[in-house]
Amino acid sequence: MISVLRSLLALAAFVLAAPALAQDEAMILIAHPAFRDLEYRQTVLIAAPAPNGGHVGVILNRPTRRSLGSLFPEHEPSKKVADPVYYGGPFSRGALVALVHADASPGAGSVLLMKDLYLAFRANTIDHVIETTPNEARYFVGYVGWRPGELKSEIDRGLWSVQNADLDMVFRKDTEGLWEELLQSSKRIRADGASAPAAFYAVVAR
């Protein structure tokens, strides 16, 4: 039942068809205070290179009021997931994707964001995660995608501040106030004259 529901909504071909990437270039994006687009206002995202040469990610600080069990009441394993479902972004917003904490790819249709962290798109892979390690993942409706060069252009225009990603931040339980906290942190970094990591510039230039 859960696989059929998710499979009704097609995801972008660049993620579905590709194997996991072997790179450690994930970044945290903090929306500029002047970013008024309601989809991204006061958001914090994790993003990483996608197989098509662009980038892919999810919004980290938009929990919904729904549990996975309430979305799929006939799927018993979904009821074991403790965290709420999050809104991941405007791409395929009716489909479920998952950030999976694992030391190996959870299955086909997964993108490696950083060490021990994958973004899974395929329904059968997500089903397997829910059925085997339900609380070693966070579940999202929708995701965010950028065409090649698009994210670099947005960063150059000042829409996003950039920080290194870490698992504690990605799976933080309480995301209220996360945007404000990271915004202040990014301001301190700029004030100290620190630059973004060289790896970041290599990634966004692709």
Side-chain angles (χ1 to χ4, degrees):
M1 180 70 171
I2 188 170
S3 294
V4 173
L5 288 171
R6 284 204 298 272
S7 297
L8 291 174
L9 292 153
L11 295 175
F14 72 83
V15 231
L16 283 177
L21 296 178
Q23 48 76 36
D24 296 312
E25 308 287 7
M27 65 196 90
I28 295 295
L29 305 175
I30 304 106
H32 190 279
F35 203 154
R36 298 302 182 189
D37 186 326
L38 292 180
E39 294 284 0
Y40 301 109
R41 183 174 178 269
Q42 297 187 356
T43 54
V44 176
L45 283 70
I46 185 169
N52 74 333
H55 289 78
V56 66
V58 288
I59 298 170
L60 296 175
N61 63 331
R62 289 269 182 89
T64 72
R65 297 181 180 179
R66 301 295 299 274
S67 67
L68 197 64
S70 72
L71 291 179
F72 304 105
E74 298 180 15
H75 188 249
E76 285 299 320
S78 293
K79 298 176 183 178
K80 298 178 182 178
V81 176
D83 290 340
V85 174
Y86 281 65
Y87 174 67
F91 286 56
S92 297
R93 68 178 71 203
L96 196 70
V97 302
L99 277 178
V100 185
H101 182 199
D103 57 9
S105 172
S110 300
V111 176
L112 177 63
L113 299 187
M114 57 187 286
K115 186 178 185 293
D116 297 336
L117 184 68
Y118 295 81
L119 185 57
F121 289 87
R122 283 196 176 163
N124 57 351
T125 295
I126 297 171
D127 285 346
H128 180 70
V129 171
I130 295 170
E131 290 161 5
T132 56
T133 54
N135 291 300
E136 291 298 312
R138 181 161 286 176
Y139 305 91
F140 299 78
V141 286
Y143 68 101
V144 183
W146 293 266
R147 296 183 298 274
E150 189 175 16
L151 180 54
K152 181 179 185 301
S153 174
E154 291 182 1
I155 293 170
D156 288 346
R157 286 156 49 202
L159 297 180
W160 306 102
S161 296
V162 180
Q163 292 190 19
N164 291 325
D166 67 74
L167 287 173
D168 288 341
M169 183 186 302
V170 170
F171 289 104
R172 178 165 151 165
K173 293 293 185 183
D174 182 8
T175 61
E176 185 176 355
L178 179 61
W179 176 77
E180 292 88 349
E181 177 185 318
L182 293 181
L183 184 67
Q184 291 302 316
S185 174
S186 67
K187 287 179 180 178
R188 286 195 299 272
I189 290 172
R190 287 196 299 271
D192 291 341
S195 59
F200 160 71
Y201 291 111
V203 170
V204 297
R206 293 176 186 172

